[in-house]
Amino acid sequence: MTFYDIIKRTVLFCLIVSGLSLFAQIPDTLKAKQEEEVKYPQLQIKGLFQARYLVGMTKDVDVNGLHHTDDSGTDNNFMIKYMRVQMRAQISKRTEVVVLANLADFKNDPKSRVLENAYLKYTFNPKLAITVGQFRPWFGIEETYPIDIIKSLDWSNQYTEFGKLGWTSFQIGMSATGQLELGEIPFQYAVSVVNGNGKNQVNDNDNGKQYSTRLVFGLSKKYNLNLGLNGGAGEVFSKKVYALGVDLSSLIHFDSKWSLDMQLEAKQATNHPLYFAVAPELRPNTPDEYLIRGAYFLPNVRYEINHKNLSAFELSCRYEYLDTNFRLNSNPRQTITPMFGLEFLKNYGARIQLGVQFDRYKHQVENTTQYNNNLFIVQVQSRF
């Protein structure tokens, strides 16, 4: 039996056993105390507006990081990044349906865009919830929070690349999540099976599926220190693929005003899109040599001002390392993104951020995005 088969059967076994065992723990509704009658469905509508002004500060490199030897390209740009609308319908005590659309995608080809979340979630109890549809499977720290409360400019380069591989970002499939306790240690888990070929797809592009799991251990309540372990295996066009990851996060409150939020994450996986981009007669039998590896560290200092016109300010600086093909054609990318943010309404209701993104490659390649560049960013957002 192969490693892939073991992972696949283990994930399915965990789903079945968890479901059966937790079904048994659901109290008989006839014996439960009569609760106050609640009318369903309960609807909740939220939104996010986020816009940017970008200025490229490197000669012959445009705002998208593409190098031009012919002096073309745009080195400054206003853009709308997100115009999201989310509707959440609580249709019963245990059942909710969530829809999230990014209307800003209409400025591009919306064929595989616009619709982001579209799922049904049934919560048996805190120990087990089942999600079915299009959602973000847990496979790291960044999947656990939305873009509007991110501590840096955007998702990490690593998150973006692993989304292309089918492990992160919006995928179609099924997931089981829950919270437990291992003795005195809080414990969270997520087990997912997805098509692995992105969002808004009518059909899976092959018969393979990608199976993943995430385990999070609460190591210290005082420092909000959590350890996350991620693993996955799957099959893409009859080829075995895998992904591994580990992460640490911590939130330290020095006093009522000052706090420090830190994230450290590292991942490695099969880069199967790169493997299949090679001509069939030239590629090896397995994609084992086509591997991606990345890591990032993100500290964020926050000071609560609590003034009527200014809630808080934040200062962060993320360092990233990413190599999309480190065994065969290594050209690592290092990115440093210092950011300063002002929060005008609590919970990031209104925020403005200023920062610079510095990209450095080991080898620069003309007329590609693998070229050193510096980008200045002003970003504004509002949640409603």
Side-chain angles (χ1 to χ4, degrees):
M1 184 181 296
T2 65
F3 172 75
Y4 163 71
D5 293 327
I6 293 173
I7 292 291
K8 178 179 177 180
R9 294 185 182 186
T10 300
V11 169
L12 292 175
F13 177 76
C14 289
L15 281 170
I16 295 171
V17 172
S18 298
L20 292 176
S21 62
L22 291 169
F23 263 125
Q25 299 178 31
I26 299 175
D28 190 339
T29 54
L30 296 177
K31 296 180 181 179
K33 292 182 179 180
Q34 189 71 28
E35 298 182 356
E36 184 179 350
E37 183 179 353
V38 179
K39 293 183 179 180
Y40 294 103
Q42 296 180 338
L43 300 179
Q44 182 185 61
I45 297 177
K46 294 183 178 181
L48 168 69
F49 171 80
Q50 190 179 92
R52 296 175 177 175
Y53 177 63
L54 310 173
V55 179
M57 299 188 296
T58 303
K59 188 177 184 298
D60 298 328
V61 178
D62 66 22
V63 292
N64 296 313
L66 179 62
H67 177 253
H68 300 264
T69 55
D70 58 1
D71 296 325
S72 63
T74 303
D75 62 8
N76 68 92
N77 182 42
F78 286 102
M79 68 173 295
I80 299 175
K81 181 70 174 178
Y82 292 102
M83 183 58 248
R84 277 179 164 172
V85 178
Q86 173 180 292
M87 184 178 72
R88 177 179 176 269
Q90 191 76 34
I91 60 177
S92 75
K93 179 182 177 181
R94 302 182 186 277
T95 309
E96 64 176 307
V97 177
V98 176
V99 176
L100 174 65
N102 182 19
L103 304 183
D105 279 338
F106 279 112
K107 66 182 182 293
N108 302 308
D109 179 6
K111 183 177 180 181
S112 62
R113 301 169 182 265
V114 183
L115 185 63
E116 296 184 330
N117 276 331
Y119 64 80
L120 180 147
K121 183 176 181 180
Y122 188 87
T123 303
F124 295 99
N125 54 43
K127 297 178 180 179
L128 177 64
I130 301 295
T131 302
V132 179
Q134 182 169 290
F135 57 93
R136 296 167 64 201
W138 284 11
F139 200 78
I141 301 174
E142 293 178 280
E143 287 77 19
T144 60
Y145 56 80
I147 184 66
D148 40 326
I149 63 171
I150 200 167
K151 306 299 181 180
S152 189
L153 169 68
D154 209 334
W155 305 116
S156 67
N157 300 325
Q158 173 183 271
Y159 175 85
T160 302
E161 292 299 321
F162 273 69
K164 298 175 184 177
L165 304 179
W167 302 110
T168 62
S169 192
F170 300 98
Q171 305 291 334
I172 300 175
M174 174 181 177
S175 180
T177 58
Q179 302 179 13
L180 304 166
E181 287 191 2
L182 298 176
E184 297 182 355
I185 299 178
F187 169 73
Q188 293 179 295
Y189 75 90
V191 181
S192 306
V193 53
V194 298
N195 289 335
N197 59 328
K199 60 184 179 181
N200 300 338
Q201 303 298 319
V202 177
N203 295 309
D204 194 357
N205 58 359
D206 69 341
N207 288 322
K209 295 293 181 285
Q210 291 178 222
Y211 303 84
S212 64
T213 184
R214 173 169 172 79
L215 308 176
V216 181
F217 302 89
L219 303 183
S220 173
K221 185 176 181 180
K222 179 180 179 180
Y223 301 109
N224 296 288
L225 180 62
N226 296 308
L227 169 65
L229 302 176
N230 312 285
E235 189 174 280
V236 179
F237 294 111
S238 302
K239 300 295 182 181
K240 302 297 189 296
V241 298
Y242 79 91
L244 298 171
V246 60
D247 54 76
L248 283 169
S249 62
S250 177
L251 176 59
I252 303 172
H253 292 277
F254 299 108
D255 53 34
S256 61
K257 293 184 177 295
W258 288 97
S259 63
L260 173 63
D261 188 340
M262 293 182 290
Q263 300 173 10
L264 175 64
E265 187 166 6
K267 291 178 182 175
Q268 178 173 304
T270 309
N271 194 338
H272 51 271
L274 193 61
Y275 170 78
F276 288 111
V278 178
E281 63 274 12
L282 299 177
R283 70 171 74 125
N285 291 329
T286 65
D288 295 341
E289 295 297 311
Y290 292 81
L291 298 177
I292 180 174
R293 176 183 289 173
Y296 75 85
F297 176 58
L298 173 59
N300 180 77
V301 176
R302 179 180 175 88
Y303 179 73
E304 301 285 349
I305 298 175
N306 295 324
H307 187 270
K308 62 179 181 180
N309 295 322
L310 183 61
S311 179
F313 76 78
E314 293 184 328
L315 182 64
S316 70
C317 185
R318 182 170 62 196
Y319 168 77
E320 303 180 62
Y321 177 94
L322 181 69
D323 197 337
T324 58
N325 191 12
F326 69 87
R327 279 191 176 173
L328 296 180
N329 187 21
S330 179
N331 189 18
R333 172 187 181 183
Q334 298 185 74
T335 304
I336 299 176
T337 312
M339 297 291 295
F340 174 73
L342 294 173
E343 180 183 326
F344 298 99
L345 297 175
K346 290 185 176 181
N347 299 318
Y348 300 104
R351 179 169 68 161
I352 182 170
Q353 293 174 285
L354 295 88
V356 181
Q357 179 175 293
F358 302 97
D359 273 317
R360 296 295 180 268
Y361 289 88
K362 185 177 181 179
H363 308 291
Q364 298 188 77
V365 183
E366 292 185 342
N367 295 313
T368 72
T369 55
Q370 296 184 32
Y371 205 88
N372 296 346
N373 70 90
N374 306 320
L375 182 68
F376 174 74
I377 310 107
V378 180
Q379 180 168 280
V380 296
Q381 77 169 44
S382 178
R383 306 172 74 193
F384 58 91

